[in-house]
Amino acid sequence: MLLAAPEATVRACGPDGDLAAERLAGLIAGWVDAGRPHAADLRIEAVVPSLADPRDGADSATGAAGAPGAGPGEVLVDGAGTRLTLRWGPAHAGG
């Protein structure tokens, strides 16, 4: 449970509550360390590697533009035939 008043607090409930509270506290700390990005700033690019056009600079093996891993400030999520690239930045930047 996340309580906002009088100050932010995470409290545990249930048999695995301590683990859940620890995980939530870690996620919150990561969010704060990242500058508290807003959901409106999230950009998601989905690429199907088998459909990527090599002339566009996409590496068909990775689905990323010439790189096997995530760039600075990016998170890659590989799934069933699709690679998602998640980026956070101002909603008005980059489209």
Side-chain angles (χ1 to χ4, degrees):
M1 172 176 8
L2 178 61
L3 305 173
E7 76 179 52
T9 305
V10 177
R11 294 211 177 137
C13 300
D16 291 326
D18 289 340
L19 291 174
E22 186 176 314
R23 175 153 165 72
L24 179 58
L27 291 169
I28 292 168
W31 174 72
V32 170
D33 290 346
R36 299 180 178 204
H38 191 277
D41 297 335
L42 176 62
R43 299 291 174 257
I44 301 173
E45 175 184 307
V47 175
V48 178
S50 63
L51 298 178
D53 185 344
R55 295 173 294 174
D56 291 337
D59 179 339
S60 62
T62 65
E74 295 181 347
V75 174
L76 298 181
V77 179
D78 288 321
T82 303
R83 169 169 277 185
L84 301 177
T85 303
L86 289 73
R87 294 181 187 88
W88 283 265
H92 61 276

